[in-house]
Amino acid sequence: MSQTVKLDIPEFLNIGIACTSAWVGTAKENNVAMIIEDDKLGTDQVTYKELAVKSDQVSNFFTQEIGLKPRDRVLVCLKNSLAYPISFFGVMKGGMIAVPTSTLLSGSEVKYLAEDSQAKAIVLSASMYENLVPYLLNLDNLRTIIIAGIDSTDGLKKPEGIEIFALNQIFNNTSTTPNHYNSRSGEPAYLVYTSGTTGYPKGVLHSHRSLIGRKPATDFWFDFKENDRIMHSGKFNWTYVLGSALMDPLFNGHTVIAYEGSNDASTWINLIKKHSCTIFIGVPTIYRQIIQKTDFTLEDCPSLRYCMSAGEHLSDEMLGLWREKFKQDIYEAIGMSECSYYISHSKNNPIRPGSAGFVQPGHTVKLLDPDTLEEVVDGEEGMICIGEDDPGLFLEYWQLEEETAKSRHVGYFFTGDYAKKDEDGYIWFIGRKDDIINTF
């Protein structure tokens, strides 16, 4: 399954710049980059130019005002909000490593990530501050907390040895002059944590070139058209959503709509209709709820033309029912924290129910027998193995040199996932046999 499409990797690349500032001075600079629907705060939005300026301010604050250096780590522990892309991209624009962190984690879990990553700063939502602060005391490296969603830190309890700042104060007081770090494409950009079935969560370190590693998905899973509006049902901290709701759409100049708050089966179609969304990206559970608990059809959201799913397999029954109601397919993909999504269905080939689709051209993937290290024949079970030169492949397991080495053999990363390939090239996913699971 070696692919003939060659990905051109530039010598210098910065994800934060490519997804924000690269649009300044173009016809898209005043286009809306992101809309956030919050069930308590209402609707908020940001243009590409505004996103570029505010992320520059975050970058300048970290580098010029508190003295962070390239490769220092910054935890990003935020609900779905405009603060998320501003902070995530701003950290990387300054050369630091962003560490996306779920808002659902307990205080002790966030403490573990802060300790393991040796983070020097954390950006968190105001609603989390009081509960998290006791767990962030007396850490060796953490010296700064930035709080999103408030205008001032007046009245907040200030922990000893840690400075606290309001993100809105940074927007009011910090220079907007771009001072970007000129990162090489192979330098580290962000660090995600996996929750395996054994042991503690482990960090998966990705480089800026991972943006190029997702180009096959742009070409062979997404179906981008000019000025698409993408509704995503997920939380930004998940690797699947970091790519499909942040980096991929914004790198390509589209508009993303995300939601924060309580929801039910009607939430997503109502939002698609309200914002004239053209693409919907979800998980099978969401599609199942819409089918089983609502009477919506395509007539209720006529702008919708393309649907995508990942995270788990969508049943053939649900796909059939969606086709009946919404007159279109749902295109699935398979990915992992170590390489995002690299196998998918697309408009280029008919969906074969039950299969995972095809290896996206641009990725080199083989099904190998882990005992013989030989490629298996069509119809036989083999481990999915990804070429080590794939730009989307992670750099290393954070501070786990031995475990990183154990995952790589004969020029391939051994995923721990098993599959079969039929005579037409469709991949039939079997399952995992180790602890490479989801984003923590």
PDB file of all heavy atoms in Angstrom, residues 13-17 59-60 62-63 68-74 88-98 179-184 187-190 208:
ATOM      1  N   LEU A  13       8.277  25.868   8.669  1.00  0.00           N
ATOM      2  CA  LEU A  13       6.817  25.838   8.752  1.00  0.00           C
ATOM      3  C   LEU A  13       6.421  26.028  10.212  1.00  0.00           C
ATOM      4  O   LEU A  13       7.032  25.435  11.108  1.00  0.00           O
ATOM      5  CB  LEU A  13       6.270  24.505   8.233  1.00  0.00           C
ATOM      6  CG  LEU A  13       4.746  24.318   8.298  1.00  0.00           C
ATOM      7  CD1 LEU A  13       4.038  25.301   7.366  1.00  0.00           C
ATOM      8  CD2 LEU A  13       4.356  22.885   7.949  1.00  0.00           C
ATOM      9  N   ASN A  14       5.404  26.852  10.442  1.00  0.00           N
ATOM     10  CA  ASN A  14       4.867  27.033  11.785  1.00  0.00           C
ATOM     11  C   ASN A  14       3.349  26.926  11.702  1.00  0.00           C
ATOM     12  O   ASN A  14       2.707  27.685  10.967  1.00  0.00           O
ATOM     13  CB  ASN A  14       5.279  28.399  12.351  1.00  0.00           C
ATOM     14  CG  ASN A  14       4.831  28.601  13.781  1.00  0.00           C
ATOM     15  OD1 ASN A  14       3.647  28.752  14.053  1.00  0.00           O
ATOM     16  ND2 ASN A  14       5.778  28.610  14.716  1.00  0.00           N
ATOM     17  N   ILE A  15       2.777  25.967  12.420  1.00  0.00           N
ATOM     18  CA  ILE A  15       1.339  25.721  12.346  1.00  0.00           C
ATOM     19  C   ILE A  15       0.548  26.971  12.717  1.00  0.00           C
ATOM     20  O   ILE A  15      -0.436  27.325  12.054  1.00  0.00           O
ATOM     21  CB  ILE A  15       0.950  24.548  13.269  1.00  0.00           C
ATOM     22  CG1 ILE A  15       1.503  23.229  12.716  1.00  0.00           C
ATOM     23  CG2 ILE A  15      -0.577  24.468  13.422  1.00  0.00           C
ATOM     24  CD1 ILE A  15       1.296  22.035  13.641  1.00  0.00           C
ATOM     25  N   GLY A  16       0.973  27.661  13.779  1.00  0.00           N
ATOM     26  CA  GLY A  16       0.247  28.843  14.228  1.00  0.00           C
ATOM     27  C   GLY A  16       0.189  29.930  13.175  1.00  0.00           C
ATOM     28  O   GLY A  16      -0.844  30.574  12.975  1.00  0.00           O
ATOM     29  N   ILE A  17       1.302  30.138  12.493  1.00  0.00           N
ATOM     30  CA  ILE A  17       1.357  31.150  11.433  1.00  0.00           C
ATOM     31  C   ILE A  17       0.523  30.715  10.232  1.00  0.00           C
ATOM     32  O   ILE A  17      -0.264  31.487   9.673  1.00  0.00           O
ATOM     33  CB  ILE A  17       2.819  31.406  11.012  1.00  0.00           C
ATOM     34  CG1 ILE A  17       3.628  31.945  12.194  1.00  0.00           C
ATOM     35  CG2 ILE A  17       2.872  32.360   9.826  1.00  0.00           C
ATOM     36  CD1 ILE A  17       5.124  31.975  11.944  1.00  0.00           C
ATOM     37  N   SER A  59       1.394  35.108  21.855  1.00  0.00           N
ATOM     38  CA  SER A  59       2.790  34.744  21.605  1.00  0.00           C
ATOM     39  C   SER A  59       3.735  35.762  22.225  1.00  0.00           C
ATOM     40  O   SER A  59       4.712  35.400  22.915  1.00  0.00           O
ATOM     41  CB  SER A  59       3.022  34.646  20.089  1.00  0.00           C
ATOM     42  OG  SER A  59       4.386  34.448  19.797  1.00  0.00           O
ATOM     43  N   ASN A  60       3.455  37.053  22.006  1.00  0.00           N
ATOM     44  CA  ASN A  60       4.323  38.110  22.538  1.00  0.00           C
ATOM     45  C   ASN A  60       4.313  38.126  24.065  1.00  0.00           C
ATOM     46  O   ASN A  60       5.349  38.379  24.698  1.00  0.00           O
ATOM     47  CB  ASN A  60       3.870  39.473  22.002  1.00  0.00           C
ATOM     48  CG  ASN A  60       4.157  39.639  20.527  1.00  0.00           C
ATOM     49  OD1 ASN A  60       4.988  38.924  19.955  1.00  0.00           O
ATOM     50  ND2 ASN A  60       3.475  40.578  19.893  1.00  0.00           N
ATOM     51  N   PHE A  62       3.921  35.572  26.089  1.00  0.00           N
ATOM     52  CA  PHE A  62       4.734  34.462  26.589  1.00  0.00           C
ATOM     53  C   PHE A  62       6.228  34.705  26.383  1.00  0.00           C
ATOM     54  O   PHE A  62       7.039  34.429  27.275  1.00  0.00           O
ATOM     55  CB  PHE A  62       4.334  33.153  25.913  1.00  0.00           C
ATOM     56  CG  PHE A  62       3.074  32.538  26.455  1.00  0.00           C
ATOM     57  CD1 PHE A  62       2.053  32.136  25.613  1.00  0.00           C
ATOM     58  CD2 PHE A  62       2.900  32.358  27.824  1.00  0.00           C
ATOM     59  CE1 PHE A  62       0.891  31.568  26.110  1.00  0.00           C
ATOM     60  CE2 PHE A  62       1.754  31.787  28.337  1.00  0.00           C
ATOM     61  CZ  PHE A  62       0.740  31.395  27.479  1.00  0.00           C
ATOM     62  N   THR A  63       6.593  35.218  25.225  1.00  0.00           N
ATOM     63  CA  THR A  63       8.019  35.343  24.915  1.00  0.00           C
ATOM     64  C   THR A  63       8.628  36.634  25.448  1.00  0.00           C
ATOM     65  O   THR A  63       9.747  36.624  25.976  1.00  0.00           O
ATOM     66  CB  THR A  63       8.240  35.259  23.396  1.00  0.00           C
ATOM     67  OG1 THR A  63       7.495  36.294  22.742  1.00  0.00           O
ATOM     68  CG2 THR A  63       7.819  33.907  22.865  1.00  0.00           C
ATOM     69  N   LEU A  68       9.277  33.078  28.192  1.00  0.00           N
ATOM     70  CA  LEU A  68       9.324  31.683  27.757  1.00  0.00           C
ATOM     71  C   LEU A  68      10.200  31.548  26.522  1.00  0.00           C
ATOM     72  O   LEU A  68      10.333  32.474  25.721  1.00  0.00           O
ATOM     73  CB  LEU A  68       7.918  31.159  27.461  1.00  0.00           C
ATOM     74  CG  LEU A  68       6.943  31.038  28.632  1.00  0.00           C
ATOM     75  CD1 LEU A  68       5.761  30.162  28.245  1.00  0.00           C
ATOM     76  CD2 LEU A  68       7.611  30.507  29.885  1.00  0.00           C
ATOM     77  N   LYS A  69      10.799  30.373  26.374  1.00  0.00           N
ATOM     78  CA  LYS A  69      11.723  30.091  25.280  1.00  0.00           C
ATOM     79  C   LYS A  69      11.131  29.045  24.343  1.00  0.00           C
ATOM     80  O   LYS A  69      10.217  28.309  24.721  1.00  0.00           O
ATOM     81  CB  LYS A  69      13.054  29.577  25.836  1.00  0.00           C
ATOM     82  CG  LYS A  69      13.712  30.496  26.859  1.00  0.00           C
ATOM     83  CD  LYS A  69      14.103  31.825  26.245  1.00  0.00           C
ATOM     84  CE  LYS A  69      14.824  32.711  27.262  1.00  0.00           C
ATOM     85  NZ  LYS A  69      15.071  34.071  26.713  1.00  0.00           N
ATOM     86  N   PRO A  70      11.664  28.965  23.112  1.00  0.00           N
ATOM     87  CA  PRO A  70      11.218  27.899  22.218  1.00  0.00           C
ATOM     88  C   PRO A  70      11.315  26.538  22.898  1.00  0.00           C
ATOM     89  O   PRO A  70      12.266  26.255  23.622  1.00  0.00           O
ATOM     90  CB  PRO A  70      12.183  28.010  21.030  1.00  0.00           C
ATOM     91  CG  PRO A  70      12.557  29.462  21.008  1.00  0.00           C
ATOM     92  CD  PRO A  70      12.641  29.862  22.451  1.00  0.00           C
ATOM     93  N   ARG A  71      10.282  25.730  22.685  1.00  0.00           N
ATOM     94  CA  ARG A  71      10.136  24.360  23.211  1.00  0.00           C
ATOM     95  C   ARG A  71       9.678  24.303  24.662  1.00  0.00           C
ATOM     96  O   ARG A  71       9.463  23.210  25.188  1.00  0.00           O
ATOM     97  CB  ARG A  71      11.408  23.524  23.000  1.00  0.00           C
ATOM     98  CG  ARG A  71      11.869  23.500  21.545  1.00  0.00           C
ATOM     99  CD  ARG A  71      12.809  22.358  21.242  1.00  0.00           C
ATOM    100  NE  ARG A  71      13.253  22.407  19.856  1.00  0.00           N
ATOM    101  CZ  ARG A  71      13.830  21.399  19.207  1.00  0.00           C
ATOM    102  NH1 ARG A  71      14.028  20.256  19.838  1.00  0.00           N
ATOM    103  NH2 ARG A  71      14.197  21.535  17.956  1.00  0.00           N
ATOM    104  N   ASP A  72       9.511  25.442  25.330  1.00  0.00           N
ATOM    105  CA  ASP A  72       8.844  25.419  26.627  1.00  0.00           C
ATOM    106  C   ASP A  72       7.396  24.962  26.407  1.00  0.00           C
ATOM    107  O   ASP A  72       6.791  25.238  25.369  1.00  0.00           O
ATOM    108  CB  ASP A  72       8.842  26.806  27.271  1.00  0.00           C
ATOM    109  CG  ASP A  72      10.182  27.152  27.897  1.00  0.00           C
ATOM    110  OD1 ASP A  72      11.002  26.239  28.114  1.00  0.00           O
ATOM    111  OD2 ASP A  72      10.412  28.358  28.169  1.00  0.00           O
ATOM    112  N   ARG A  73       6.832  24.272  27.402  1.00  0.00           N
ATOM    113  CA  ARG A  73       5.482  23.749  27.261  1.00  0.00           C
ATOM    114  C   ARG A  73       4.453  24.643  27.951  1.00  0.00           C
ATOM    115  O   ARG A  73       4.705  25.180  29.032  1.00  0.00           O
ATOM    116  CB  ARG A  73       5.383  22.336  27.859  1.00  0.00           C
ATOM    117  CG  ARG A  73       5.776  21.228  26.882  1.00  0.00           C
ATOM    118  CD  ARG A  73       7.262  21.138  26.674  1.00  0.00           C
ATOM    119  NE  ARG A  73       7.959  20.839  27.919  1.00  0.00           N
ATOM    120  CZ  ARG A  73       9.253  21.078  28.130  1.00  0.00           C
ATOM    121  NH1 ARG A  73       9.994  21.652  27.192  1.00  0.00           N
ATOM    122  NH2 ARG A  73       9.821  20.757  29.284  1.00  0.00           N
ATOM    123  N   VAL A  74       3.277  24.753  27.299  1.00  0.00           N
ATOM    124  CA  VAL A  74       2.158  25.521  27.840  1.00  0.00           C
ATOM    125  C   VAL A  74       0.896  24.666  27.750  1.00  0.00           C
ATOM    126  O   VAL A  74       0.495  24.261  26.652  1.00  0.00           O
ATOM    127  CB  VAL A  74       1.937  26.843  27.072  1.00  0.00           C
ATOM    128  CG1 VAL A  74       0.726  27.582  27.632  1.00  0.00           C
ATOM    129  CG2 VAL A  74       3.181  27.718  27.126  1.00  0.00           C
ATOM    130  N   PHE A  88      -3.925  28.277  21.468  1.00  0.00           N
ATOM    131  CA  PHE A  88      -3.246  27.131  20.847  1.00  0.00           C
ATOM    132  C   PHE A  88      -2.286  27.604  19.768  1.00  0.00           C
ATOM    133  O   PHE A  88      -1.101  27.222  19.746  1.00  0.00           O
ATOM    134  CB  PHE A  88      -4.301  26.179  20.284  1.00  0.00           C
ATOM    135  CG  PHE A  88      -3.755  24.949  19.613  1.00  0.00           C
ATOM    136  CD1 PHE A  88      -3.095  23.975  20.340  1.00  0.00           C
ATOM    137  CD2 PHE A  88      -3.921  24.760  18.247  1.00  0.00           C
ATOM    138  CE1 PHE A  88      -2.602  22.825  19.717  1.00  0.00           C
ATOM    139  CE2 PHE A  88      -3.438  23.624  17.614  1.00  0.00           C
ATOM    140  CZ  PHE A  88      -2.781  22.651  18.353  1.00  0.00           C
ATOM    141  N   PHE A  89      -2.774  28.436  18.856  1.00  0.00           N
ATOM    142  CA  PHE A  89      -1.910  28.926  17.782  1.00  0.00           C
ATOM    143  C   PHE A  89      -0.887  29.934  18.311  1.00  0.00           C
ATOM    144  O   PHE A  89       0.252  29.967  17.836  1.00  0.00           O
ATOM    145  CB  PHE A  89      -2.751  29.560  16.671  1.00  0.00           C
ATOM    146  CG  PHE A  89      -3.608  28.574  15.924  1.00  0.00           C
ATOM    147  CD1 PHE A  89      -4.958  28.821  15.717  1.00  0.00           C
ATOM    148  CD2 PHE A  89      -3.069  27.404  15.428  1.00  0.00           C
ATOM    149  CE1 PHE A  89      -5.750  27.922  15.027  1.00  0.00           C
ATOM    150  CE2 PHE A  89      -3.847  26.483  14.731  1.00  0.00           C
ATOM    151  CZ  PHE A  89      -5.191  26.743  14.536  1.00  0.00           C
ATOM    152  N   GLY A  90      -1.280  30.750  19.287  1.00  0.00           N
ATOM    153  CA  GLY A  90      -0.355  31.740  19.834  1.00  0.00           C
ATOM    154  C   GLY A  90       0.857  31.103  20.483  1.00  0.00           C
ATOM    155  O   GLY A  90       1.986  31.593  20.340  1.00  0.00           O
ATOM    156  N   VAL A  91       0.642  30.012  21.211  1.00  0.00           N
ATOM    157  CA  VAL A  91       1.768  29.300  21.830  1.00  0.00           C
ATOM    158  C   VAL A  91       2.754  28.858  20.757  1.00  0.00           C
ATOM    159  O   VAL A  91       3.977  29.081  20.864  1.00  0.00           O
ATOM    160  CB  VAL A  91       1.250  28.086  22.633  1.00  0.00           C
ATOM    161  CG1 VAL A  91       2.413  27.179  23.043  1.00  0.00           C
ATOM    162  CG2 VAL A  91       0.489  28.548  23.873  1.00  0.00           C
ATOM    163  N   MET A  92       2.245  28.236  19.690  1.00  0.00           N
ATOM    164  CA  MET A  92       3.133  27.707  18.651  1.00  0.00           C
ATOM    165  C   MET A  92       3.801  28.826  17.856  1.00  0.00           C
ATOM    166  O   MET A  92       4.942  28.665  17.398  1.00  0.00           O
ATOM    167  CB  MET A  92       2.355  26.772  17.730  1.00  0.00           C
ATOM    168  CG  MET A  92       1.941  25.473  18.417  1.00  0.00           C
ATOM    169  SD  MET A  92       1.171  24.278  17.311  1.00  0.00           S
ATOM    170  CE  MET A  92      -0.418  25.063  17.004  1.00  0.00           C
ATOM    171  N   LYS A  93       3.135  29.960  17.681  1.00  0.00           N
ATOM    172  CA  LYS A  93       3.746  31.074  16.950  1.00  0.00           C
ATOM    173  C   LYS A  93       4.996  31.585  17.649  1.00  0.00           C
ATOM    174  O   LYS A  93       5.898  32.124  17.013  1.00  0.00           O
ATOM    175  CB  LYS A  93       2.729  32.211  16.776  1.00  0.00           C
ATOM    176  CG  LYS A  93       1.626  31.884  15.777  1.00  0.00           C
ATOM    177  CD  LYS A  93       0.505  32.915  15.820  1.00  0.00           C
ATOM    178  CE  LYS A  93       0.648  33.945  14.737  1.00  0.00           C
ATOM    179  NZ  LYS A  93      -0.580  34.781  14.595  1.00  0.00           N
ATOM    180  N   GLY A  94       5.049  31.420  18.968  1.00  0.00           N
ATOM    181  CA  GLY A  94       6.228  31.827  19.722  1.00  0.00           C
ATOM    182  C   GLY A  94       7.280  30.746  19.840  1.00  0.00           C
ATOM    183  O   GLY A  94       8.293  30.947  20.517  1.00  0.00           O
ATOM    184  N   GLY A  95       7.028  29.591  19.211  1.00  0.00           N
ATOM    185  CA  GLY A  95       8.000  28.506  19.255  1.00  0.00           C
ATOM    186  C   GLY A  95       7.828  27.563  20.422  1.00  0.00           C
ATOM    187  O   GLY A  95       8.569  26.576  20.548  1.00  0.00           O
ATOM    188  N   MET A  96       6.845  27.842  21.304  1.00  0.00           N
ATOM    189  CA  MET A  96       6.592  26.955  22.426  1.00  0.00           C
ATOM    190  C   MET A  96       5.753  25.762  21.975  1.00  0.00           C
ATOM    191  O   MET A  96       5.235  25.734  20.858  1.00  0.00           O
ATOM    192  CB  MET A  96       5.883  27.694  23.555  1.00  0.00           C
ATOM    193  CG  MET A  96       6.738  28.689  24.306  1.00  0.00           C
ATOM    194  SD  MET A  96       6.911  30.255  23.424  1.00  0.00           S
ATOM    195  CE  MET A  96       5.258  30.925  23.563  1.00  0.00           C
ATOM    196  N   ILE A  97       5.616  24.785  22.858  1.00  0.00           N
ATOM    197  CA  ILE A  97       4.870  23.563  22.572  1.00  0.00           C
ATOM    198  C   ILE A  97       3.526  23.634  23.303  1.00  0.00           C
ATOM    199  O   ILE A  97       3.479  23.741  24.528  1.00  0.00           O
ATOM    200  CB  ILE A  97       5.649  22.319  23.022  1.00  0.00           C
ATOM    201  CG1 ILE A  97       6.974  22.207  22.248  1.00  0.00           C
ATOM    202  CG2 ILE A  97       4.816  21.052  22.831  1.00  0.00           C
ATOM    203  CD1 ILE A  97       7.899  21.123  22.763  1.00  0.00           C
ATOM    204  N   ALA A  98       2.443  23.599  22.552  1.00  0.00           N
ATOM    205  CA  ALA A  98       1.105  23.621  23.138  1.00  0.00           C
ATOM    206  C   ALA A  98       0.736  22.217  23.616  1.00  0.00           C
ATOM    207  O   ALA A  98       1.014  21.227  22.934  1.00  0.00           O
ATOM    208  CB  ALA A  98       0.084  24.109  22.112  1.00  0.00           C
ATOM    209  N   ASN A 179       5.985  38.839  16.058  1.00  0.00           N
ATOM    210  CA  ASN A 179       7.360  38.462  16.391  1.00  0.00           C
ATOM    211  C   ASN A 179       7.441  36.948  16.398  1.00  0.00           C
ATOM    212  O   ASN A 179       7.647  36.310  17.427  1.00  0.00           O
ATOM    213  CB  ASN A 179       7.764  39.036  17.750  1.00  0.00           C
ATOM    214  CG  ASN A 179       9.223  38.800  18.054  1.00  0.00           C
ATOM    215  OD1 ASN A 179      10.058  38.737  17.156  1.00  0.00           O
ATOM    216  ND2 ASN A 179       9.543  38.632  19.332  1.00  0.00           N
ATOM    217  N   HIS A 180       7.238  36.365  15.224  1.00  0.00           N
ATOM    218  CA  HIS A 180       7.065  34.926  15.117  1.00  0.00           C
ATOM    219  C   HIS A 180       8.383  34.167  15.207  1.00  0.00           C
ATOM    220  O   HIS A 180       9.419  34.642  14.746  1.00  0.00           O
ATOM    221  CB  HIS A 180       6.384  34.575  13.782  1.00  0.00           C
ATOM    222  CG  HIS A 180       5.060  35.236  13.599  1.00  0.00           C
ATOM    223  ND1 HIS A 180       4.543  35.564  12.361  1.00  0.00           N
ATOM    224  CD2 HIS A 180       4.133  35.640  14.503  1.00  0.00           C
ATOM    225  CE1 HIS A 180       3.361  36.140  12.506  1.00  0.00           C
ATOM    226  NE2 HIS A 180       3.097  36.203  13.792  1.00  0.00           N
ATOM    227  N   TYR A 181       8.295  32.976  15.751  1.00  0.00           N
ATOM    228  CA  TYR A 181       9.440  32.067  15.775  1.00  0.00           C
ATOM    229  C   TYR A 181       9.507  31.347  14.431  1.00  0.00           C
ATOM    230  O   TYR A 181       8.527  30.747  13.982  1.00  0.00           O
ATOM    231  CB  TYR A 181       9.285  31.063  16.912  1.00  0.00           C
ATOM    232  CG  TYR A 181      10.407  30.043  16.979  1.00  0.00           C
ATOM    233  CD1 TYR A 181      11.679  30.411  17.415  1.00  0.00           C
ATOM    234  CD2 TYR A 181      10.175  28.721  16.615  1.00  0.00           C
ATOM    235  CE1 TYR A 181      12.702  29.477  17.484  1.00  0.00           C
ATOM    236  CE2 TYR A 181      11.198  27.783  16.683  1.00  0.00           C
ATOM    237  CZ  TYR A 181      12.464  28.166  17.117  1.00  0.00           C
ATOM    238  OH  TYR A 181      13.483  27.248  17.184  1.00  0.00           O
ATOM    239  N   ASN A 182      10.643  31.401  13.781  1.00  0.00           N
ATOM    240  CA  ASN A 182      10.804  30.807  12.453  1.00  0.00           C
ATOM    241  C   ASN A 182      11.158  29.330  12.607  1.00  0.00           C
ATOM    242  O   ASN A 182      12.305  28.926  12.463  1.00  0.00           O
ATOM    243  CB  ASN A 182      11.896  31.555  11.671  1.00  0.00           C
ATOM    244  CG  ASN A 182      11.932  31.154  10.208  1.00  0.00           C
ATOM    245  OD1 ASN A 182      10.930  30.683   9.661  1.00  0.00           O
ATOM    246  ND2 ASN A 182      13.082  31.323   9.569  1.00  0.00           N
ATOM    247  N   SER A 183      10.154  28.528  12.885  1.00  0.00           N
ATOM    248  CA  SER A 183      10.409  27.120  13.194  1.00  0.00           C
ATOM    249  C   SER A 183      10.689  26.310  11.938  1.00  0.00           C
ATOM    250  O   SER A 183      10.100  26.544  10.878  1.00  0.00           O
ATOM    251  CB  SER A 183       9.205  26.524  13.928  1.00  0.00           C
ATOM    252  OG  SER A 183       8.022  26.729  13.181  1.00  0.00           O
ATOM    253  N   ARG A 184      11.595  25.371  12.086  1.00  0.00           N
ATOM    254  CA  ARG A 184      11.773  24.362  11.046  1.00  0.00           C
ATOM    255  C   ARG A 184      10.599  23.394  11.119  1.00  0.00           C
ATOM    256  O   ARG A 184      10.034  23.161  12.179  1.00  0.00           O
ATOM    257  CB  ARG A 184      13.099  23.632  11.215  1.00  0.00           C
ATOM    258  CG  ARG A 184      14.305  24.551  10.974  1.00  0.00           C
ATOM    259  CD  ARG A 184      15.631  23.796  11.044  1.00  0.00           C
ATOM    260  NE  ARG A 184      16.735  24.701  10.811  1.00  0.00           N
ATOM    261  CZ  ARG A 184      17.205  25.051   9.616  1.00  0.00           C
ATOM    262  NH1 ARG A 184      16.651  24.536   8.522  1.00  0.00           N
ATOM    263  NH2 ARG A 184      18.215  25.887   9.492  1.00  0.00           N
ATOM    264  N   GLU A 187      10.513  20.724  13.861  1.00  0.00           N
ATOM    265  CA  GLU A 187      10.574  21.072  15.282  1.00  0.00           C
ATOM    266  C   GLU A 187       9.245  20.759  15.960  1.00  0.00           C
ATOM    267  O   GLU A 187       8.187  20.798  15.338  1.00  0.00           O
ATOM    268  CB  GLU A 187      10.903  22.560  15.449  1.00  0.00           C
ATOM    269  CG  GLU A 187      12.338  22.917  15.119  1.00  0.00           C
ATOM    270  CD  GLU A 187      12.684  24.346  15.520  1.00  0.00           C
ATOM    271  OE1 GLU A 187      12.658  24.641  16.730  1.00  0.00           O
ATOM    272  OE2 GLU A 187      12.947  25.154  14.615  1.00  0.00           O
ATOM    273  N   PRO A 188       9.273  20.483  17.279  1.00  0.00           N
ATOM    274  CA  PRO A 188       8.038  20.132  17.985  1.00  0.00           C
ATOM    275  C   PRO A 188       7.061  21.295  18.054  1.00  0.00           C
ATOM    276  O   PRO A 188       7.452  22.449  18.200  1.00  0.00           O
ATOM    277  CB  PRO A 188       8.524  19.720  19.381  1.00  0.00           C
ATOM    278  CG  PRO A 188       9.879  20.333  19.525  1.00  0.00           C
ATOM    279  CD  PRO A 188      10.458  20.388  18.151  1.00  0.00           C
ATOM    280  N   ALA A 189       5.765  20.967  17.942  1.00  0.00           N
ATOM    281  CA  ALA A 189       4.708  21.984  17.908  1.00  0.00           C
ATOM    282  C   ALA A 189       3.681  21.787  19.023  1.00  0.00           C
ATOM    283  O   ALA A 189       3.304  22.739  19.698  1.00  0.00           O
ATOM    284  CB  ALA A 189       4.001  21.960  16.552  1.00  0.00           C
ATOM    285  N   TYR A 190       3.212  20.555  19.187  1.00  0.00           N
ATOM    286  CA  TYR A 190       2.197  20.313  20.217  1.00  0.00           C
ATOM    287  C   TYR A 190       2.339  18.893  20.758  1.00  0.00           C
ATOM    288  O   TYR A 190       2.892  17.998  20.111  1.00  0.00           O
ATOM    289  CB  TYR A 190       0.782  20.580  19.697  1.00  0.00           C
ATOM    290  CG  TYR A 190       0.312  19.690  18.564  1.00  0.00           C
ATOM    291  CD1 TYR A 190      -0.436  18.542  18.803  1.00  0.00           C
ATOM    292  CD2 TYR A 190       0.602  20.007  17.239  1.00  0.00           C
ATOM    293  CE1 TYR A 190      -0.871  17.736  17.772  1.00  0.00           C
ATOM    294  CE2 TYR A 190       0.165  19.209  16.194  1.00  0.00           C
ATOM    295  CZ  TYR A 190      -0.572  18.071  16.468  1.00  0.00           C
ATOM    296  OH  TYR A 190      -1.007  17.271  15.442  1.00  0.00           O
ATOM    297  N   HIS A 208       5.656  20.564  13.552  1.00  0.00           N
ATOM    298  CA  HIS A 208       4.908  21.467  12.668  1.00  0.00           C
ATOM    299  C   HIS A 208       4.612  20.820  11.317  1.00  0.00           C
ATOM    300  O   HIS A 208       3.603  21.137  10.689  1.00  0.00           O
ATOM    301  CB  HIS A 208       5.692  22.768  12.467  1.00  0.00           C
ATOM    302  CG  HIS A 208       5.761  23.608  13.704  1.00  0.00           C
ATOM    303  ND1 HIS A 208       4.750  24.456  14.082  1.00  0.00           N
ATOM    304  CD2 HIS A 208       6.724  23.717  14.664  1.00  0.00           C
ATOM    305  CE1 HIS A 208       5.076  25.068  15.211  1.00  0.00           C
ATOM    306  NE2 HIS A 208       6.268  24.640  15.590  1.00  0.00           N
TER     307      HIS A 208
END
